[in-house]
Amino acid sequence: MATDMATVSGAAPTSALPAEHLHNTSIRKRAALLAQRPSFRTCAELRVCVVGLGYIGLPTASLLGTKGCQVTGVDVSPEVVATINDGRIHIEEPDLDLMVKSAVQSGRLVASLTPVAADVYILAVPTPIRADKQPDLSMVQAAARSIAPVVRKGSLVILESTSPVGTTNDVVARELAAAGLRVGEDVFVAYCPERVLPGRILTELVENDRVVGGINDASTEAALEFYQSFVRGEVVGVDSRTAEMVKLAENSFRDVNIAYANELSMICGRAGISVWEVIRIANRHPRVKILQPGPGVGGHCIAVDPWFIVASDPEHARLIRAAREVNDSKPHWVIERVKQCAAALHKPVIACLGLSFKADVDDLRESPAVDIVKELERAQVGELLVVEPHLLFHPEFELTPVEQALQRANIVLVLVDHKAFKRIRREALHEKLLIDTRGLFL
Ligand code: SAJ
């Protein structure tokens, strides 16, 4: 595929590669660089080292293992390494257990505590935000530093972690350059954000379109070759800063749109109008597509990534910041509703339906439902019966089966729209106060 790359207008001042070298490589130079590295066109037989074996790294490592790559998966946790080498998994994701087992049994996936020499490195480590809403890139830096001593001439290093604009060049390429590698020439460095939806990771890893952005043209070309070898979707090549912004733009878009639905739900709630009916009817307009309100926004991506944009340009990121604040305020609004209902009852018993951050997963990261239940418990609003069909056990809350909770409760608080709750019969809610943050029964 021909690459249609935008030029970088003013690379970050701290670039590992000077701005004038980023995207102006001559054709002759490019051909020379091409001759110095392996072809990434067929991924079979490539040696791949994946650093970070979490929700993205492990599915990617096992997928590449089943495609014939020789994969070393690296993680800082000895338990994770031992579990994977045993052919088992430490996270919940449909069909991942089978794929990891098959990759490990065929000898194509080995987990290790330390990186090894490889043709392709994929860094898939967490990029959280700190309490002051500034990005914490320490794990990206540590990952880049850990591979620097084993990276050989001709290798391709890819950052997949969602990162602030500039990270690929200013952190990853810089660490490699500090180890004496000529980045963009001896080693190719690119950004390729993951785009998969938890619960559909293995399908979306292959089917989704991808964007790859190198720190120079030669790096973009190398990364395009590699992803085109196993992705069925289209792979689009740009520069690394554009690719970094694309990922942040995607998740901020979703956050802003969910914030609109959440804001509308609070306004309708106050006005005594059903927000679900308003949205259903408004969405009949051919150019209106309002998303669904909920108890707040959770997960490790949408509630986090927009802050990377806000941190980089607080003056202009006004809408993005406001959306974050609206979504973060929604759990408090829900808590107030529960308190109002509880105050009207002599002995409030509250069935809290769901703890996960979204439907049909067991993932509790940044879950607004967890925050709400914790606050209701702290404020001693009433007796709480916590239901989460996707978990057998929770370290803080005793879990109650749904039927039992519905029998005993006089307030039903719907926090997650799990399929299991959609089966609840209306009669089970008879004469109970219902706070349905997901519009399950409306
Ligand atoms: N939510 C609502 N209302 C809606 C849709 C979602 O309240 O109408 C809530 C969910 O309940 C949840 C949160 O938003 O709490 C996020 O859920 P999600 O399903 O929208 O997204 P994630 O966090 O599971 O995955 C997102 C995806 N990004 C986009 O859809 C733009 C996924 O493709 C990314 O790979 C992932 O973030 C990531 O890792 O960045």
Side-chain angles (χ1 to χ4, degrees):
M1 181 217 263
T3 57
D4 176 19
M5 281 165 285
T7 49
V8 169
S9 52
T14 50
S15 293
L17 200 65
E20 65 273 21
H21 291 303
L22 283 176
H23 293 280
N24 60 359
T25 331
S26 72
I27 291 180
R28 201 172 333 137
K29 181 89 187 265
R30 275 158 81 169
L33 289 175
L34 203 61
Q36 285 170 25
R37 65 162 171 86
S39 165
F40 300 117
R41 257 179 235 289
T42 45
C43 74
E45 304 309 328
L46 282 178
R47 293 168 305 161
V48 180
C49 181
V50 179
V51 182
L53 295 175
Y55 280 86
I56 301 303
L58 184 56
T60 306
S62 56
L63 172 74
L64 291 171
T66 58
K67 298 268 177 206
C69 300
Q70 187 58 51
V71 185
T72 303
V74 179
D75 204 280
V76 289
S77 158
E79 291 83 48
V80 168
V81 168
T83 306
I84 292 163
N85 282 335
D86 212 20
R88 293 178 298 118
I89 57 174
H90 60 292
I91 51 179
E92 180 98 356
E93 178 63 30
D95 302 329
L96 182 63
D97 50 347
L98 297 175
M99 193 174 271
V100 169
K101 198 172 186 180
S102 136
V104 170
Q105 277 178 352
S106 67
R108 294 279 181 185
L109 171 61
V110 177
S112 162
L113 286 167
T114 45
V116 295
D119 305 304
V120 180
Y121 293 84
I122 297 176
L123 311 182
V125 292
T127 46
I129 39 162
R130 301 191 313 229
D132 61 359
K133 309 292 187 202
Q134 294 295 317
D136 174 359
L137 300 178
S138 58
M139 284 177 263
V140 173
Q141 184 163 29
R145 201 170 279 177
S146 76
I147 62 166
V150 289
V151 171
R152 297 283 168 268
K153 208 170 166 169
S155 308
L156 168 62
V157 176
I158 298 154
L159 176 64
E160 284 212 6
S161 316
T162 304
S163 301
V165 172
T167 307
T168 309
N169 200 30
D170 307 344
V171 179
V172 178
R174 178 172 274 263
E175 283 297 332
L176 299 172
L181 292 155
R182 286 187 306 162
V183 290
E185 295 193 18
D186 289 347
V187 50
F188 304 98
V189 185
Y191 182 66
C192 181
E194 56 77 17
R195 275 177 161 173
V196 292
L197 197 69
R200 287 179 45 83
I201 294 181
L202 291 178
T203 313
E204 295 207 353
L205 265 183
V206 175
E207 302 296 336
N208 288 0
D209 288 355
R210 298 290 289 256
V211 55
V212 297
I215 57 157
N216 62 350
D217 294 349
S219 296
T220 307
E221 278 166 28
L224 273 172
E225 272 184 20
F226 176 63
Y227 282 95
Q228 281 166 346
S229 74
F230 67 94
V231 168
R232 265 203 288 270
E234 192 175 333
V235 190
V236 179
V238 289
D239 62 79
S240 57
R241 290 166 63 81
T242 304
E244 287 159 343
M245 187 54 107
V246 166
K247 172 67 185 180
L248 300 181
E250 290 168 0
N251 280 352
S252 298
F253 170 86
R254 195 134 170 98
D255 198 42
V256 167
N257 282 280
I258 298 169
Y260 178 70
N262 276 333
E263 186 165 294
L264 204 58
S265 75
M266 295 186 271
I267 294 167
C268 286
R270 188 101 186 272
I273 299 167
S274 162
V275 70
W276 314 102
E277 193 172 18
V278 168
I279 292 175
R280 200 176 58 241
I281 299 168
N283 282 349
R284 287 169 167 249
H285 185 292
R287 288 172 295 284
V288 174
K289 178 83 191 76
I290 304 173
L291 295 184
Q292 300 299 302
V297 168
H300 47 297
C301 311
I302 294 182
V304 174
D305 306 348
W307 287 118
F308 294 172
I309 298 185
V310 177
S312 72
D313 191 349
E315 190 191 339
H316 294 107
R318 290 183 296 163
L319 180 62
I320 296 172
R321 176 201 287 275
R324 270 292 63 245
E325 287 168 354
V326 167
N327 284 333
D328 275 352
S329 74
K330 189 69 195 282
H332 306 290
W333 187 83
V334 175
I335 290 162
E336 285 312 310
R337 303 293 307 247
V338 180
K339 283 183 178 169
Q340 280 166 12
C341 287
L345 297 172
H346 167 57
K347 209 171 167 293
V349 180
I350 308 159
C352 304
L353 304 190
L355 282 179
S356 64
F357 86 89
K358 65 175 188 176
D360 306 323
V361 298
D362 71 341
D363 195 336
L364 303 184
R365 286 178 295 175
E366 319 284 332
S367 174
V370 172
D371 293 344
I372 290 169
V373 175
K374 271 191 187 163
E375 176 54 22
L376 293 176
E377 186 174 64
R378 197 202 58 76
Q380 300 185 337
V381 174
E383 186 186 347
L384 300 183
L385 302 171
V386 181
V387 181
E388 181 41 81
H390 291 266
L391 293 179
L392 290 171
F393 162 83
H394 188 277
E396 275 174 80
F397 311 117
E398 189 188 328
L399 299 178
T400 306
V402 65
E403 302 79 20
Q404 205 177 312
L406 289 174
Q407 240 164 36
R408 292 209 38 228
N410 44 25
I411 298 177
V412 176
L413 172 61
V414 182
L415 294 169
V416 188
D417 45 344
H418 287 313
K419 280 200 192 84
F421 300 151
K422 290 182 182 157
R423 289 194 286 267
I424 294 172
R425 286 171 303 109
R426 295 290 178 113
E427 302 86 80
L429 305 173
H430 195 56
E431 295 202 336
K432 298 180 197 297
L433 296 177
L434 176 67
I435 303 165
D436 186 354
T437 71
R438 299 281 187 176
L440 207 61
F441 299 110
L442 303 168

